C-alpha cells in the first residue's frame, strides 16, 4: 500500500510569490489533513477534509492560504502571496477512521522556505 | 484553545542511559497519542492510550497515561542511537474526533 505522498519535498520561493503544495492520501482514506510545523514549534493543525468537503478549516492562518480537494482524491494547498512567516514544514496526513481510534499516517512533508 | 505542554524540549543522553518525556494538560484528555519524528523525517504514529492509568510497552518503550487522564509519559530504557529523534505527544482537540493538538516535542540525541 502506497503511503501519503507529498510534493515537492522542498520549495524555496521569494516573498510575494505563489506556491502550491500537493498531497496524495492513501487510497480509500476519506479524511485528509494539513498540518504545519514552524521551526522549533509544535505541529499545528491547518484543516481537515472529508472527501472533497472542508470539515474544519479553523487552523488556516489567513486568506492567503487556499486548500482544495477536488474529486475527493488529492489535495492542494496554495499560499498566495507567500510571506516570510509561512516558512516551515507542511505535513499532510490521511486516515480511514477518526483519529480518536487510531493515529494519522503522515506524508514526508514539504519544507517551504520563503526568502 | 487546548494546550498540551511537553517537557523537556531537549534531552541529550549517553547511549545506554534512560530517557523520559512528559506531557501535561490542564484539561482531561479523552486519549493521548505518541509520535516519533526522525531527523529530516515525518511524524510516525507509535501508540495511543485511552484508559485512565493505562500502561503500554513496545520493546524498550513504556507509555503511561495518568490516573486523571491529564498527563502522560514516554520512557525509553537503555537508549540506542536509533532512538534519536523528536517525540511528540498529541491529544484530541476541542471535542473533535479528528483534530489533534500536539506538544512541542522533545528532541532526543544519543551519544554513542
Amino acid at each position: 500500500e502506497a503511503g501519503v505522498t507529498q510534493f515537492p519535498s522542498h520549495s524555496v520561493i521569494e516573498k510575494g510569490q505563489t506556491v502550491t503544495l500537493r498531497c496524495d492520501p492513501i487510497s480509500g482514506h476519506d479524511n485528509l489533513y494539513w498540518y504545519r510545523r514552524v521551526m522549533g514549534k509544535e505541529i499545528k493543525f491547518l484543516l481537515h477534509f472529508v472527501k472533497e468537503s472542508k470539515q474544519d478549516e479553523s487552523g488556516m492562518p489567513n486568506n492567503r492560504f487556499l486548500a482544495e480537494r477536488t474529486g475527493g482524491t488529492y489535495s492542494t494547498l496554495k499560499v498566495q502571496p507567500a510571506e516570510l512567516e509561512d516558512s516551515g514544514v507542511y505535513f499532510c496526513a490521511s486516515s480511514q477512521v477518526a483519529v480518536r481510534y487510531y493515529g494519522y499516517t503522515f506524508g514526508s512533508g514539504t519544507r517551504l522556505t520563503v526568502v | 484553545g487546548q494546550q498540551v505542554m511537553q517537557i523537556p524540549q531537549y534531552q541529550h543522553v549517553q547511549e545506554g542511559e534512560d530517557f523520559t518525556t512528559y506531557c501535561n494538560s490542564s484539561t482531561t484528555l479523552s486519549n493521548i497519542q505518541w509520535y516519533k519524528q526522525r531527523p529530516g523525517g515525518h511524524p510516525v504514529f507509535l501508540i495511543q492510550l485511552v484508559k485512565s492509568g493505562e500502561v503500554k510497552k513496545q520493546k524498550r518503550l513504556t507509555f503511561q497515561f495518568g490516573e486523571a487522564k491529564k498527563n502522560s509519559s514516554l520512557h525509553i530504557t537503555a537508549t540506542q542511537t536509533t532512538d534519536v529523534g523528536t517525540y511528540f505527544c498529541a491529544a484530541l482537540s476541542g471535542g473533535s474526533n479528528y483534530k489533534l493538538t500536539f506538544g512541542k516535542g522533545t528532541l532526543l540525541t544519543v551519544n554513542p
Side-chain angles (χ1 to χ4, degrees):
Chain A
E1 178 184 74
V4 177
T5 306
Q6 289 186 249
F7 52 93
S9 57
H10 295 81
S11 181
V12 181
I13 61 171
E14 293 184 351
K15 177 182 171 181
Q17 289 186 323
T18 297
V19 64
T20 300
L21 314 181
R22 172 167 168 153
C23 169
D24 286 69
I26 292 174
S27 178
H29 282 194
D30 288 339
N31 297 286
L32 185 150
Y33 315 84
W34 285 96
Y35 279 79
R36 176 175 73 173
R37 187 181 189 206
V38 173
M39 190 170 64
K41 297 196 174 181
E42 65 268 36
I43 301 168
K44 280 199 169 181
F45 172 85
L46 296 178
L47 87 161
H48 168 214
F49 283 100
V50 178
K51 297 185 180 178
E52 67 274 10
S53 299
K54 291 177 187 174
Q55 192 74 12
D56 181 351
E57 52 183 332
S58 61
M60 294 288 263
N62 50 60
N63 58 11
R64 295 185 294 103
F65 289 74
L66 175 64
E68 294 180 322
R69 193 183 181 194
T70 307
T73 54
Y74 70 91
S75 174
T76 58
L77 179 64
K78 180 192 286 188
V79 184
Q80 178 183 31
E83 298 289 344
L84 298 178
E85 64 264 26
D86 300 333
S87 295
V89 182
Y90 290 76
F91 291 106
C92 175
S94 72
S95 69
Q96 194 166 27
V97 298
V99 74
R100 182 181 196 89
Y101 304 107
Y102 199 75
Y104 294 142
T105 300
F106 280 93
S108 298
T110 295
R111 182 175 296 276
L112 175 64
T113 304
V114 183
V115 297
Chain B
Q2 177 176 298
Q3 285 189 316
V4 177
M5 308 304 293
Q6 187 173 357
I7 58 169
Q9 192 173 358
Y10 307 96
Q11 184 77 58
H12 178 73
V13 300
Q14 288 292 126
E15 189 171 22
E17 292 182 337
D18 293 356
F19 159 77
T20 306
T21 174
Y22 302 90
C23 277
N24 291 285
S25 170
S26 58
T27 59
T28 302
L29 304 172
S30 56
N31 72 353
I32 194 147
Q33 297 182 355
W34 286 91
Y35 291 79
K36 176 183 178 181
Q37 182 177 5
R38 294 181 184 274
H42 57 278
V44 174
F45 174 69
L46 294 177
I47 208 160
Q48 170 166 277
L49 304 173
V50 178
K51 299 176 184 177
S52 168
E54 190 169 14
V55 178
K56 287 188 177 180
K57 292 191 175 185
Q58 289 179 351
K59 296 182 180 178
R60 295 177 294 103
L61 277 61
T62 302
F63 304 84
Q64 292 189 326
F65 203 8
E67 293 290 340
K69 300 182 73 173
K70 289 185 176 182
N71 62 284
S72 181
S73 65
L74 157 59
H75 179 83
I76 302 178
T77 303
T79 54
Q80 300 175 357
T81 54
T82 53
D83 296 325
V84 165
T86 301
Y87 293 84
F88 294 95
C89 61
L92 284 173
S93 175
S96 168
N97 284 331
Y98 294 88
K99 182 166 67 177
L100 291 177
T101 295
F102 282 81
K104 287 191 174 182
T106 297
L107 173 59
L108 171 66
T109 55
V110 180
N111 198 30

